[in-house]
Amino acid sequence: MMAPRARPSRTVAKVTPVGRVLLTRSGKWWAIELPTFPGAYSQGRTQAEAYLNLLDALAELVKANKTLARRSATKRKAA
């Protein structure tokens, strides 16, 4: 008996309100990436879930960048 072959992953590019996203199917999961925002990655069991998770990841990236900008500004004022 032969072992089952793994399904090859496939990548889909879509234009969405947040920009062009890349969706890659791997097994039962979809990985999603927003190339215009470095570090904006997520995943989900469906494309829709992956997209919603990406929106959450983007919100966290923006929050982190604001925090870093405030810290940097505070250090410049203190110097």
Side-chain angles (χ1 to χ4, degrees):
M1 178 192 292
M2 294 179 62
R5 293 188 334 181
R7 288 193 310 184
S9 63
R10 67 180 179 127
T11 301
V12 178
K14 290 187 175 186
V15 177
T16 68
V18 295
R20 183 172 170 258
V21 297
L22 299 176
L23 287 150
T24 304
R25 178 77 181 209
S26 181
K28 294 181 179 182
W29 292 87
W30 285 93
I32 190 167
E33 168 186 0
L34 185 60
T36 54
F37 286 86
Y41 305 98
S42 195
Q43 66 182 15
R45 289 207 179 257
T46 65
Q47 288 184 19
E49 182 182 348
Y51 180 74
L52 290 174
N53 291 342
L54 178 66
L55 292 178
D56 287 342
L58 282 172
E60 290 300 318
L61 278 172
V62 168
K63 185 174 152 183
N65 283 332
K66 284 182 179 180
T67 301
L68 290 172
R70 274 192 230 112
R71 286 182 187 164
S72 179
T74 304
K75 286 181 182 178
R76 283 194 300 262
K77 286 181 184 177

